[in-house]
Amino acid sequence: METNHFMPWEDRPEGSKEIIWRYSNNPVIPRNLLPASNSIFNSAVVRYKGAYAGVFRCDDTNRRMRLHVGFSANGIDWEIRPKPLQFVCEDKEIGRWVYGYDPRVCLIEDRYYVTWCNGYHGPTIGMAWTTDFETFHQLENAYLPFNRNGVLFPRKINGRYAMLSRPSDNGHTPFGDIFYSESPDMEFWGRHRHVMSPAAFEDSAWQCTKIGAGPIPIETAEGWLLIYHGVLHSCNGFVYSFGSALLDLEQPWKVKFRSGPYLLSPQTHYECVGDVPNVCFPCASLHDEQTGRIAIYYGCADTVTGLAFGYIPEIIRFTKETSI
Ligand code: BMA
């Protein structure tokens, strides 16, 4: 059980009725925090040793997609290592670095597992674990290409590790459903189940082109709370927003509720203007069970990292009341 109250937090602005509100000092991570970073976004943050650690997507000034390790005392001010993360891998074929992006980090028992979109003849889900954020042991890729948005559950379900993913194509995929897979050992993934398709345009247009899991799902009495991104294909290109769903605790491929309205969509300058305009892309959250507080880290316009806050019980109520 979570007892640590120490997490980044800012109260809902006075007069606001928003379920999710933005940190007033967004973006928390600027694009040029590193000497050679073009952009830092779509990144993963976890509690670590009474403070915070993270794996960050840093695109460099060659526009190569790299992962970097970072540390923070308060979850707001980050020190990111300038040197890209290098995985230790027993298999040369798998360990050969091509590109990596959109990391998630999930604590399961005593290991922090990193999943990311890993270049191996196209994007697939790379896997690694660490206990100290120094040595990262790379495992086999979970799936065949093409796949993105591999998101682990924080405990075994029915005796097996569990992961959501989003089969895709080799480009800017114009489709995408969320699937569930199980593994006895973090190497062999199977028993694939369909979770969710994009919504019908008439019901919920922000999520009608493709969807993908965001932060690690949170276990609640009402089911797994999943924050996920959804995409609308407008006449100016893709628009990435995010919403919420509740998945069955023992059979997480069964969707109990799914929000019709988005929780957050690109509306501020730093979400609407950047290398890829109109993107809010959540990859991590911190929460506190006692107060119900949640802090969501999300990539903004593929350029910087933002932070938004809310209360889990309010998000659950919203998900149920607006469910499609
Ligand atoms: C997706 C991923 C994300 C990115 C988004 C918007 O396909 O590549 O990394 O944030 O597109 O460009």
Side-chain angles (χ1 to χ4, degrees):
M1 212 188 90
E2 198 51 79
T3 50
N4 189 352
H5 286 253
F6 187 60
M7 58 180 274
W9 182 253
E10 195 172 69
D11 281 332
R12 180 188 272 122
E14 214 162 310
S16 162
K17 290 203 175 67
E18 293 168 310
I19 305 285
I20 291 288
W21 59 96
R22 294 168 178 83
Y23 177 45
S24 59
N25 255 326
N26 267 352
V28 269
I29 302 177
R31 66 184 305 166
N32 58 354
L33 192 66
L34 296 179
S37 59
N38 167 78
S39 41
I40 306 178
F41 57 110
N42 302 3
S43 296
V45 163
V46 288
R47 280 204 186 88
Y48 177 65
K49 285 192 176 166
Y52 305 92
V55 176
F56 295 85
R57 171 174 177 177
C58 303
D59 293 5
D60 68 16
T61 44
N62 292 9
R63 295 302 298 264
R64 294 175 301 197
M65 299 181 282
R66 296 285 187 264
L67 303 178
H68 290 241
V69 177
F71 300 93
S72 171
N74 57 11
I76 303 260
D77 304 299
W78 286 90
E79 209 160 294
I80 300 182
R81 294 204 172 135
K83 207 170 150 264
L85 197 170
Q86 273 178 318
F87 293 100
V88 175
C89 188
E90 279 166 22
D91 190 310
K92 274 210 170 87
E93 167 81 5
I94 295 305
R96 195 173 70 85
W97 179 263
V98 182
Y99 57 76
Y101 59 91
D102 299 358
R104 273 73 163 185
V105 178
C106 184
L107 177 63
I108 307 179
E109 288 145 24
D110 55 352
R111 290 181 176 185
Y112 295 90
Y113 286 91
V114 187
T115 55
W116 72 96
C117 188
N118 189 34
Y120 182 73
H121 304 276
T124 182
I125 305 304
M127 311 271 310
W129 62 270
T130 184
T131 53
D132 57 9
F133 286 86
E134 297 293 336
T135 307
F136 290 78
H137 306 269
Q138 189 176 351
L139 306 170
E140 292 288 325
N141 293 319
Y143 310 111
L144 294 170
F146 310 110
N147 205 314
R148 291 185 174 98
N149 300 304
V151 177
L152 287 165
F153 286 77
R155 65 165 172 86
K156 287 182 175 173
I157 298 172
N158 303 314
R160 296 194 186 87
Y161 296 108
M163 179 159 56
L164 300 170
S165 75
R166 218 284 304 287
S168 65
D169 67 13
N170 202 9
H172 302 296
T173 316
F175 60 87
D177 293 21
I178 299 176
F179 285 83
Y180 175 88
S181 308
E182 296 180 354
S183 172
D185 56 6
M186 284 281 181
E187 179 168 346
F188 297 97
W189 291 89
R191 301 177 70 97
H192 313 293
R193 297 285 183 277
H194 180 263
V195 180
M196 280 200 284
S197 295
F201 173 76
E202 306 79 44
D203 293 334
S204 183
W206 66 268
Q207 51 177 328
C208 74
T209 302
K210 54 178 170 174
I211 52 174
I216 304 307
I218 297 170
E219 188 164 9
T220 77
E222 305 270 359
W224 293 101
L225 175 62
L226 176 69
I227 310 280
Y228 65 99
H229 69 258
V231 178
L232 165 84
H233 198 174
S234 84
C235 60
N236 270 321
F238 288 156
V239 178
Y240 283 72
S241 309
F242 63 82
S244 51
L246 285 161
L247 312 180
D248 185 82
L249 282 180
E250 298 313 314
Q251 298 181 307
W253 56 92
K254 294 192 175 154
V255 181
K256 295 169 73 179
F257 301 98
R258 168 182 188 178
S259 69
Y262 55 70
L263 283 168
L264 200 92
S265 82
Q267 295 181 10
T268 64
H269 187 266
Y270 54 87
E271 294 161 349
C272 298
V273 178
D275 286 347
V276 181
N278 307 319
V279 180
C280 294
F281 197 97
C283 288
S285 69
L286 299 167
H287 71 279
D288 172 56
E289 270 177 27
Q290 245 133 56
T291 55
R293 291 172 174 180
I294 182 170
I296 300 169
Y297 290 83
Y298 66 106
C300 307
D302 283 14
T303 304
V304 296
T305 304
L307 189 53
F309 304 106
Y311 287 101
I312 290 172
E314 290 184 9
I315 300 172
I316 289 175
R317 203 177 316 129
F318 166 85
T319 310
K320 291 168 83 169
E321 280 173 3
T322 68
S323 184
I324 52 169

